[in-house]
Structure formats: C-alpha cells, structure tokens
C-alpha cells in the first residue's frame, strides 16, 4: 500500500521532466521538504512511514531517532534503498534498511542514548514516490539520560531549527492526544519559524490511548486551540502491533474502523487518518507545482518566440534549391559590405564596448601613433648638432668659412626628410593589419558556409595587399617630392635673418598656457617602501602635469612643471600586467620627492601610446635611445669656435622650422593617401567587384555548401521548437488535471506560548 495521491501525480511530473530533458533543460520544480517535529515517542517516525507507505524506521520507547534522517525519495522503475555512507550497496529488504539505520546511529552516537546532529542520508528509489525530501528529526526533550549532554534540549532545538527554518519546508507538528496540547513543544517551535501558520499542519497521534470519557473532538474541529491549516488525527500501530509484524495495510484499515466507530469522530472520519494526511500533503505538493507552472510556461514561451523567426525560414527548407543559394549568396556578400563599411565609418548598432576596432583604431593610428612616431625620429638634439657641425666643416673644406653655408642646411634637411620614410611605411602596415582584422570580424557571419568565408577573406585580403604596394609607392613618392625641392620661400619658413636672431628656448613651441590637453586615470608606480603603487586622476596641461585623489579634482596630490622633462619607455615587470612609461628631467634633477624619474602605468600599450601622443602636444618629447649618444663625443664636435657655434645654431633653427613644415604636410597627406588608395578602395572593391571575383573563383554550389555545424544547428533548432511546443502542451494538461486549494484564512494562534 503506497501513497495513492502521490502516485497520481508521478506520471504528470515525469512527462514534464521528460519534456524539459528533450530541450536540454532541467525542470526545476524544487518540491518542498517535509519535516516532522514533536516530543519523544510522539509517533513522528510512524507518521513519516505511513506517508511513504513503507516499514523501514527503527521503533522503541524513549529516544529512538538520535540523528536526523534525511530521506530522499527518488522516482525510479526499480525499488531499492541506498545510504550515502555505503553508496555501493543496494538494500532491497527494508528490514535491512532499519537495521542499517540503527547501526549507523550507534556508530556515531554510541548505544547509550547519545545524540548527534550529523545526518544519516538515505535514498529510497521506487516507482510509487515523487522526488521529495522527508526529514525525521530527534524528539524534543528537556531531561538528559544516558550519555546525553546536559544541554540536550538546546542541542535538539538548534538541530530542528537548522531544517525547519527554510521557507520550502512543510512542518508536521506531531503531538500525542494524551498530553497537554497548549504546551506542545512542536507547535511552539513551529510558530517560531512560521508565525503565519502557512506551512504548519498539526498532527494528533495516540487518539486511541486517551482516557475513557475524554476525546479531542474540539481540537480536531479546530475550535479549541485553532491552527491555520488545522489538525489531522491519526492512529499509528502500537509497539505490540509492530512487534507482531502488523503491516501498514492492516494498520490503515484498523485506523479507519476506529474513526468510523468512535462517536466523537465518526462525523469527521473522512477528514481524519493517514490517508487524509497523505491527501493534505499531496495537495500542498500540487499547490507548489501549480505555483511553479506559470514561471515555467513564460520561460518556454519566450524561448519559443525567439526561435519562431528562424524556424519560419527553415520550415520549407530545401538545402539543394539553387534559387535559395543564389539569394543567400547575394544577401551575405551585401551584408559583408555593409558590415565592413559600418566598422570603418562607425555606426550606432553593433558597437564594441570592450576595445577599439576598425575605423576607431585607424583614427588612433593616424592622429596619435603616427605623429608620435614622426616626432620620435626628428628630435635628437645632440646628434643633430653634431651632424650640422660636420656638414658645415665639410662644405668649407680646407678653408675657414665666413658665412653660414646654405648647402649644409639642405644636406641636413634632406637627411631628416629621408628619416620620415620609416614611420610613414609603419603607419601603412598598422592600417593594413587593422583592415585585415576588420575583414575577419565581418566574415564571422559567413561561418555557416566555410568555403564562402574562406574565399571572401582571401579575395579581399589579396586586394588590400595589392593596394599596399600602391599606397607605399605613393607615400614614398610624397617623401621624394619633398626631397626634390627645398622651398625656402615657404610662407611659414623663418629664413636666415630670423634664424640668426632666434634663440632655441624661445623657439620651443608650446600649446596655449593652462590649456588642458588630457585627463585620465594612471597608476603611479612607487616602491612599497615609499608608499606603493596607487591610482590617481592625472591632468596634463600645456605647462604642468598634476595628479589628484579622484576625478572631482578637489584634493591635489602634486603638480609637476613640464620644463626639461622627457619620456622614456620602461620594461614591464615580470609579474606586472600593466604597461609602463617614465618621465624624467634632462638636467638630472629629482622629478618627484627623491625620485629621478616617475613611472606611470596603463592597462594597455594603446593607452601608453595615446598618453605619449598627449605629452608630445604638451612639448614633452621622447628620449633618444641611440647608442652613439651614450658614447663619448669626439673632441672636435664640442671644441667649436664662437663663429661655428653661431652657424650651427642658425642652421639648427632653419632645420627646425623647415622640418616643422614638412612634418605638418606629411602628417596631413599620409592619412589622406592611405584613406584614398587603401580604405576607400577596399570599400569600393567589396561593393562592386567582390561578387564577380567569388563567381569566378568557384561555382555557386561549392561556395554555398553548408557546414556540418550549420546543418546540425538547423535540425537542433527545429527539434527544440517542437519540444518546446510539447512541453507547453504538457503544462496545459497539468494545469487542467490538477486543482489548487486556497490558503486557509488566518486564525488567532496566540494561545501557543512562545518557546522559552
């Protein structure tokens, strides 16, 4: 004899579980736990056994349940039990289960009435149960016996609270009819964790043992000491019945006979007994399941809606239809062109928030990286002066010159212009790399057709590489054009007269004083002995670098003037993830406190390059790392007579002025050349010629051959769609075949005294 109501629910739950398994999800019904609480020998274990419909728990007088028993019921075709502490063994005989529970209890607690809060975990697999957790807890007591500790009452109480505090736990508060209900420990502790009485059911046992002439009619009718969910009376087997092996079926018949024949209870016999308790608990499970269904339904419906559009496309799908292939090819090539243009030109949709890419990265190359590379090459003061000195002397030859030779100026200027070739070519390489990355990112949408993706990438990349040669030739031509004629009549050129009067320091260009060039977070790298690395809010102006505690800029930590400062690269530390650069004073002075250089750290190399470009705008230039600078300079370079010094200074100023003009021109023309010959050309090629190249490279059938992944994805999607429909249908069946009962109205339960 099992639990009939529970068995009726099983097939519905199983169908729901199967439907969810077919779409690769778990049906998380999360059924509530059921815990029995009450005094010793109140009949808790019998109530639990009757609910399961099986004999398997230890019996006796005094404290029998001395460890919590967590009983997990698992719906399964075969019927057996297994313990967590001996997983490999399957128990088919439930008498052996009882013996194992007793042995395992004694193993931890000893045989002299000791208790332990270490639970015994038992799993019962059966076709007659739902996936439920039942908890048999030690009986509440106030007096220690045997090996029990003095604070046994508090230990058991804490153990009970550990389980019954959870909102998902139904509490069966078991009280014998032959004790004072008003002082029931079970009801007191249940009220503590469930003051509204929403999950507490009163169970009255031992009705057959009440003194003659007394009954519990008023209590069972919920009149005398009311509970929100009321009371259910049960008559369990006596110790004599258990010893005499009276089975549960016979016990239930005897219980039914007792209620029908007793004058005080016969009018409510249908609402009493173990079957009604089973029904009440099963209804709680049904209510819980029905409460869960709307959430499951809406989850399935939203998944189904998201699939509907794609499924519509696949419903009449014929993989070998040439019309479909032609249409798909045209759409994909067109989409590839649109995506490429959006990534280069920028757009509001598909914005990458993790890193710069496409047009934004190329913009940074043009306006931060390229200018920085140009300045890095041009400004090498000591080397430049040495070259000018040698040039003047070599022009004069054996004679001592009276005038500053313009030939020396031209030689030096041309040498400086030639140096511009390297950063210009590097700029093209960086842009090409970014264009190829952009092509790869755009071709991700072609993954369904591997051959099409491969051919598209190859054709577009080949075109970009072809344009690379033309772009480099054009940029080198720009440099050659500058070399072919040194225009000393340029309106921005200072000329000989001004160059002689001009002082180098005065000539140093600065941005507008106090103009803010950049703000942002940087890490100030200082040794642990001096306070350790810390992040500050930095503000770079045309005259100073300041750092603050935060972006509110209220608490200034330091202000560093930019005079005589330069930048140098610093190698990343072994354990460091940051990228570092340093600021130092060219006159060997301390920059900050007693530090000769200040190390600043960024999260990426791109940020470092960007900050360096900002420092350039403020007039702080990079240090030269050429080895010749570190060698001792030849004596003749620095033993200049005053006249030679003046000539070097004049040519130095002229070179500075003319290179400034060239720099400005190159900085403007190189990005324009790259845009025209490479980027715009690539866009035009994709829009107007890519399709023709694809048709000539392979036939349409091989290009539009689906990947195995795509075919699998399509089949999977259709299967998922039908499984979702089936699951929704089952939820509808479950809703229609079950009834939810409303929560009973609140009652005045102030009669239950607070547990002390």
């Amino acid at each position: 004899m099992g639990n009939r109501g529970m068995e009726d629910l099983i097939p519905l739950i199983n169908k729901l579980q199967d439907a969810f398994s077919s779409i690769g999800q778990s049906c998380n019904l999360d059924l509530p736990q059921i815990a029995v609480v009450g005094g010793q020998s109140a009949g808790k274990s019998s109530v639990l056994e009757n609910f399961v419909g099986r004999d398997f728990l230890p019996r006796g007088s005094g404290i029998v349940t001395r460890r919590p028993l967590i009983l997990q019921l698992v719906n399964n075709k075969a019927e057996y039990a297994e313990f967590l502490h001996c997983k490999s063994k399957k128990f088919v005989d439930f008498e052996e289960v009882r013996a194992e529970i007793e042995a395992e209890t004694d193993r931890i607690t000893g045989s002299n009435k000791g208790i332990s809060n270490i639970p015994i975990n038992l799993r019962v697999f059966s076709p007659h149960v739902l996936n439920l957790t039942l908890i048999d807890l030690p009986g509440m007591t106030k007096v220690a016996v045997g090996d029990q500790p003095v604070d046994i009452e508090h230990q058991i109480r804490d153990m009970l609270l550990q389980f019954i505090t959870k909102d998902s736990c139904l509490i069966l508060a078991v009280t014998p009819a032959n004790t004072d209900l008003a002082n029931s420990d079970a009801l007191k502790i249940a009220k503590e964790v469930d003051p509204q009485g929403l999950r507490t059911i009163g169970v009255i046992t031992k009705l057959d043992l009440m003194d003659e002439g007394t009954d519990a009619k008023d209590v069972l009718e919920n009149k005398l000491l009311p509970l929100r969910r009321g009371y259910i009376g049960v008559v369990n087997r006596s110790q004599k019945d258990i010893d005499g092996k009276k089975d549960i079926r016979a016990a239930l018949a005897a219980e039914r006979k007792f209620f029908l024949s007793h004058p005080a209870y016969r009018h409510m016999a249908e609402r009493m007994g173990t079957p009604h308790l089973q029904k009440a608990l099963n209804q709680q499970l049904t209510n819980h399941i029905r409460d869960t269904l709307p959430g499951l339904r809406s989850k399935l419906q939203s998944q189904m809606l998201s699939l509907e559009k794609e499924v519509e496309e696949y419903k009449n799908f014929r993989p070998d239809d040439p019309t479909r292939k032609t249409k798909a090819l045209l759409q994909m090539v067109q989409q590839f062109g649109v995506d490429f243009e959006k990534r280069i030109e920028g757009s509001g949709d598909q914005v990458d928030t993790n890193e710069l890419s496409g047009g934004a990265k190329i913009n940074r190359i043009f306006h931060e990286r390229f200018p920085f590379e140009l300045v890095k090459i041009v400004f090498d003061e000591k080397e430049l002066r040495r070259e000018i000195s040698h040039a003047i002397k070599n022009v004069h030859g054996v004679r001592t010159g009276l005038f500053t030779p313009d030939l020396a100026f031209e030689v030096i200027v041309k040498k400086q212009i030639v140096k511009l070739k390297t950063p210009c070519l590097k700029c093209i390489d960086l842009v090409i790399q970014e264009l190829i990355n952009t092509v790869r990112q755009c071709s991700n949408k072609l993954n369904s057709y591997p051959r099409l993706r491969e051919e598209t990438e190859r054709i577009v990349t080949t075109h970009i590489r072809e344009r690379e040669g033309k772009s480099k030739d054009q940029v080198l031509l720009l440099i050659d054009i500058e070399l072919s004629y040194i225009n000393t009549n340029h309106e921005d050129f200072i000329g000989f007269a001004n160059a002689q009067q001009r002082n180098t320091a005065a000539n140093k260009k600065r941005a507008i004083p106090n103009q803010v060039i950049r703000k942002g977070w940087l890490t100030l790298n200082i040794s642990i002995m001096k306070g350790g690395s810390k992040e500050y809010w930095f503000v770079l102006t045309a005259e100073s670098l300041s750092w603050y505690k935060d972006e509110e800029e209220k608490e200034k930590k330091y202000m560093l003037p930019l005079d005589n400062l330069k930048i140098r690269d610093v190698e990343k530390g072994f354990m460091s993830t940051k990228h570092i650069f340093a600021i130092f004073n060219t006159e060997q002075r301390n920059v900050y406190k007693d530090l000769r250089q200040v190390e600043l750290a960024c999260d990426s190399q791109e940020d470092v390059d960007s900050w360096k470009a900002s420092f350039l705008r403020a007039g702080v230039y990079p240090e030269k790392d050429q080895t010749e600078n570190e060698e001792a300079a030849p004596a003749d370079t620095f033993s200049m007579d005053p006249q030679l010094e003046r000539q070097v200074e004049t040519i130095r100023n002229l070179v500075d002025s003319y290179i400034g003009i060239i720099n400005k021109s190159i900085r403007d023309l190189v990005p324009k050349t790259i845009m025209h010959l490479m980027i715009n050309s690539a866009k035009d090629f994709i829009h107007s010629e890519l399709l023709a190249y694809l048709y000539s490279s392979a036939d349409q059938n091989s290009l539009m051959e689906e990947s195995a992944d795509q075919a699998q994805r399509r089949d999977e999607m259709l299967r998922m769609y039908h499984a979702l429909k089936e699951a929704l249908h089952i939820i509808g069946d479950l809703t229609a075949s079950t009834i939810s009962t409303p929560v009973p109205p609140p009652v005045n339960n102030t009669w239950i005294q607070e547990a002390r």
Side-chain angles (χ1 to χ4, degrees):
M1 171 68 190
N3 180 334
R4 210 46 220 254
M6 194 196 287
E7 288 184 30
D8 291 341
L9 271 177
I10 290 167
L12 289 171
I13 301 292
N14 284 351
K15 277 175 80 176
L16 197 58
Q17 302 274 26
D18 291 345
F20 270 83
S21 299
S22 69
I23 55 175
Q25 293 180 19
S26 61
C27 172
N28 194 11
L29 285 172
D30 218 2
L31 292 174
Q33 296 179 337
I34 299 169
V36 283
V37 296
Q40 283 180 16
S41 299
K44 299 182 302 303
S45 298
S46 297
V47 167
L48 209 53
E49 262 186 352
N50 288 350
F51 181 69
V52 179
R54 274 286 190 177
D55 253 336
F56 60 92
L57 294 174
R59 289 286 191 288
S61 59
I63 186 162
V64 178
T65 307
R66 292 181 284 129
R67 287 174 63 183
L69 175 74
I70 297 177
L71 172 61
Q72 287 177 283
L73 303 180
V74 183
N75 184 254
N76 191 54
K77 286 176 184 171
E79 189 166 39
Y80 63 93
E82 66 179 26
F83 289 91
L84 191 64
H85 61 269
C86 49
K87 253 189 169 175
S88 54
K89 187 174 179 186
K90 289 184 179 179
F91 294 81
V92 182
D93 183 354
F94 280 80
E95 281 296 327
E96 285 182 34
V97 173
R98 177 181 293 153
E100 181 61 34
I101 291 172
E102 289 171 349
E104 180 62 13
T105 301
D106 289 346
R107 190 175 68 79
I108 298 286
T109 62
S111 56
N112 198 14
K113 309 293 183 190
I115 70 153
S116 166
N117 63 355
I118 301 167
I120 297 172
N121 286 276
L122 170 63
R123 278 183 165 188
V124 173
F125 297 82
S126 168
H128 308 298
V129 296
L130 275 178
N131 294 338
L132 268 184
T133 302
L134 310 172
I135 304 158
D136 191 19
L137 294 162
M140 299 162 81
T141 184
K142 296 187 187 301
V143 183
V145 294
D147 291 339
Q148 292 172 358
V150 182
D151 63 343
I152 179 91
E153 181 186 359
H154 297 295
Q155 281 197 22
I156 291 179
R157 176 185 157 74
D158 291 345
M159 198 190 301
L160 265 54
L161 289 172
Q162 190 182 330
F163 291 98
I164 65 173
T165 307
K166 295 171 189 163
D167 288 337
S168 61
C169 183
L170 292 175
I171 305 164
L172 297 186
V174 180
T175 310
N178 55 1
T179 60
D180 181 9
L181 189 65
N183 291 315
S184 165
D185 290 330
L187 290 172
K188 284 179 191 174
I189 199 164
K191 183 180 178 182
E192 209 174 305
V193 295
D194 178 31
Q196 299 295 317
L198 288 169
R199 50 193 182 90
T200 304
I201 296 175
V203 180
I204 307 292
T205 59
K206 304 193 179 180
L207 287 165
D208 54 331
L209 301 182
M210 290 183 77
D211 293 339
E212 205 170 327
T214 62
D215 60 54
K217 178 184 167 192
D218 288 346
V219 171
L220 292 172
E221 286 180 341
N222 211 24
K223 289 177 184 172
L224 184 60
L225 303 168
L227 278 181
R228 189 163 189 173
R229 290 202 179 273
Y231 298 88
I232 297 169
V234 296
V235 176
N236 296 326
R237 289 171 296 171
S238 65
Q239 193 60 45
K240 183 183 169 189
D241 291 337
I242 293 162
D243 294 342
K245 304 289 183 196
K246 185 177 184 179
D247 74 357
I248 287 181
R249 190 189 295 270
L252 289 175
E255 180 189 53
R256 173 96 176 130
K257 186 179 175 185
F258 170 80
F259 283 115
L260 285 171
S261 59
H262 198 289
Y265 309 130
R266 71 165 67 108
H267 68 287
M268 51 178 163
E270 295 307 318
R271 289 182 285 113
M272 293 295 122
T274 300
H276 186 70
L277 176 61
Q278 288 180 344
K279 190 177 172 189
L281 289 173
N282 289 333
Q283 187 58 56
Q284 289 301 304
L285 299 180
T286 305
N287 287 355
H288 178 85
I289 291 163
R290 284 178 65 91
D291 289 345
T292 314
L293 292 181
L296 291 175
R297 183 188 277 117
S298 64
K299 182 179 165 188
L300 293 177
Q301 282 172 336
S302 65
Q303 281 182 276
M304 200 161 153
L305 280 170
S306 67
L307 287 179
E308 214 132 49
K309 192 178 176 186
E310 288 181 79
V311 167
E312 196 60 43
E313 191 184 320
Y314 290 138
K315 271 180 183 171
N316 305 312
F317 185 81
R318 296 200 310 281
D320 299 324
D321 182 4
T323 316
R324 184 198 63 80
K325 286 184 175 179
T326 306
K327 184 182 174 186
L329 177 61
L330 289 170
Q331 284 176 339
M332 285 186 163
V333 171
Q334 195 175 11
Q335 188 59 48
F336 176 80
V338 169
D339 288 348
F340 184 81
E341 189 154 348
K342 277 183 178 176
R343 281 184 179 272
I344 297 296
E345 300 295 338
S347 77
D349 57 343
Q350 302 174 348
V351 175
D352 187 348
T353 55
N354 297 321
E355 59 175 0
L356 292 181
S357 61
K361 199 150 185 191
I362 291 170
N363 179 285
R364 178 175 265 190
I365 293 167
F366 283 163
H367 302 299
E368 288 182 3
R369 188 77 186 266
F370 180 50
F372 180 73
E373 295 291 336
L374 286 178
V375 174
K376 220 163 62 168
I377 280 177
V378 173
F379 284 86
D380 188 348
E381 195 66 34
K382 198 187 285 185
E383 180 67 15
L384 187 58
R385 286 177 181 278
R386 185 186 289 128
E387 286 177 359
I388 292 169
S389 169
H390 287 321
I392 291 170
K393 286 179 179 178
N394 287 333
V395 167
H396 288 313
V398 74
R399 296 178 300 282
T400 304
L402 297 173
F403 303 105
T404 306
D406 55 353
L407 194 59
F409 160 73
E410 199 160 308
V411 168
I412 296 297
V413 161
K414 283 183 176 179
K415 193 170 181 184
Q416 293 300 319
I417 292 172
V418 168
K419 287 180 182 177
L420 297 177
K421 287 183 179 181
T422 306
C424 290
L425 296 177
K426 187 176 180 180
C427 181
I428 292 173
D429 290 337
L430 289 170
V431 171
I432 283 173
Q433 191 54 52
E434 191 48 42
L435 281 177
I436 290 170
N437 287 343
T438 304
V439 169
R440 282 206 191 100
Q441 287 167 340
C442 294
S443 65
N444 281 339
K445 287 188 179 176
L446 310 179
N447 276 342
S448 308
Y449 304 98
R451 183 79 197 279
L452 176 63
R453 176 183 177 160
E454 195 181 302
E455 283 300 306
T456 302
E457 273 188 32
R458 182 187 65 77
I459 291 166
V460 178
T461 306
T462 304
H463 175 77
I464 289 170
R465 288 294 179 194
E466 283 170 5
R467 302 306 293 177
E468 173 190 5
K470 291 185 179 177
S471 301
K472 285 184 174 176
D473 289 346
Q474 185 63 33
V475 165
L476 292 175
L477 181 62
L478 286 176
I479 306 286
D480 289 342
I481 288 167
E482 294 293 355
L483 286 169
S484 66
Y485 179 60
I486 306 301
N487 180 16
T488 51
N489 279 334
H490 193 284
E491 57 187 2
D492 294 334
F493 187 58
I494 58 171
F496 270 90
N498 291 333
Q500 285 170 328
Q501 297 164 11
R502 205 153 183 178
N503 186 288
T504 310
N507 185 37
K508 193 175 184 183
K509 285 190 178 180
R510 281 283 170 130
I512 305 158
N514 297 326
Q515 178 197 359
V516 174
I517 293 169
R518 176 138 189 193
K519 293 182 179 187
W521 290 98
L522 283 172
T523 301
L524 189 63
N525 264 10
I526 303 176
S527 68
I528 294 169
M529 301 293 287
K530 294 175 183 174
S533 299
K534 203 169 178 188
E535 227 180 359
Y536 292 105
W537 180 256
F538 280 74
V539 177
L540 175 65
T541 70
E543 294 184 338
S544 66
L545 176 68
S546 306
W547 52 95
Y548 298 83
K549 184 184 174 188
D550 53 39
E551 60 260 59
E552 289 181 10
E553 296 179 21
K554 287 178 182 172
E555 193 180 324
K556 186 183 278 191
K557 294 292 181 183
Y558 197 73
M559 188 178 88
L560 181 63
L562 298 183
D563 298 322
N564 301 318
L565 292 186
K566 278 201 172 185
I567 292 174
R568 63 162 63 116
D569 290 321
V570 177
E571 276 193 30
K572 211 162 64 157
F574 175 63
M575 297 294 286
S576 172
T577 56
K578 300 262 186 183
H579 297 259
I580 306 166
F581 66 100
I583 301 170
F584 68 99
N585 192 302
T586 53
E587 296 179 354
Q588 302 297 311
R589 291 181 185 166
N590 290 344
V591 179
Y592 171 59
K593 294 185 179 175
D594 59 345
L595 298 171
R596 284 293 172 90
Q597 71 174 26
V598 169
E599 290 186 5
L600 301 172
C602 303
D603 289 330
S604 68
Q605 187 57 46
E606 280 187 354
D607 288 340
V608 170
D609 293 341
S610 185
W611 270 100
K612 283 181 180 175
S614 300
F615 274 105
L616 279 181
R617 287 173 57 204
V620 178
Y621 297 104
E623 173 194 36
K624 290 295 152 191
D625 52 0
Q626 293 171 356
T627 49
E628 303 98 278
N629 286 4
E630 293 165 14
E631 295 168 6
D636 63 337
T637 308
F638 296 103
S639 59
M640 290 193 283
D641 57 63
Q643 185 183 350
L644 182 59
E645 256 184 69
R646 279 197 303 278
Q647 290 177 345
V648 167
E649 189 64 34
T650 302
I651 289 182
R652 168 70 188 84
N653 288 338
L654 289 169
V655 168
D656 196 17
S657 171
Y658 196 79
I659 288 297
I661 294 166
I662 301 296
N663 248 342
K664 197 173 176 183
S665 173
I666 291 294
R667 240 166 47 198
D668 183 52
L669 286 173
V670 168
K672 287 177 177 176
T673 305
I674 293 172
M675 272 305 290
H676 176 67
L677 290 176
M678 277 181 61
I679 299 172
N680 291 344
S681 167
K683 285 194 296 187
D684 292 344
F685 175 80
I686 290 168
H687 281 302
S688 57
E689 295 181 56
L690 174 59
L691 196 60
Y693 273 85
L694 281 168
Y695 273 122
S696 64
S697 71
D699 68 290
Q700 181 179 296
N701 283 338
S702 65
L703 278 177
M704 297 309 289
E705 198 172 302
E706 262 189 321
S707 67
D709 288 349
Q710 174 66 8
Q712 188 181 345
R713 182 174 169 274
R714 187 181 63 252
D715 295 342
E716 191 65 33
M717 189 179 294
L718 290 168
R719 192 188 63 74
M720 174 78 88
Y721 182 76
H722 294 304
L724 284 167
K725 278 180 85 168
E726 176 64 16
L728 281 167
H729 183 66
I730 289 166
I731 285 178
D733 285 351
L734 200 53
T735 308
S737 60
T738 55
I739 299 166
S740 193
T741 56
V743 178
V747 295
N748 181 2
N749 65 356
T750 51
W751 60 269
I752 304 175
Q753 297 167 17
E754 293 296 327
R756 284 191 284 275

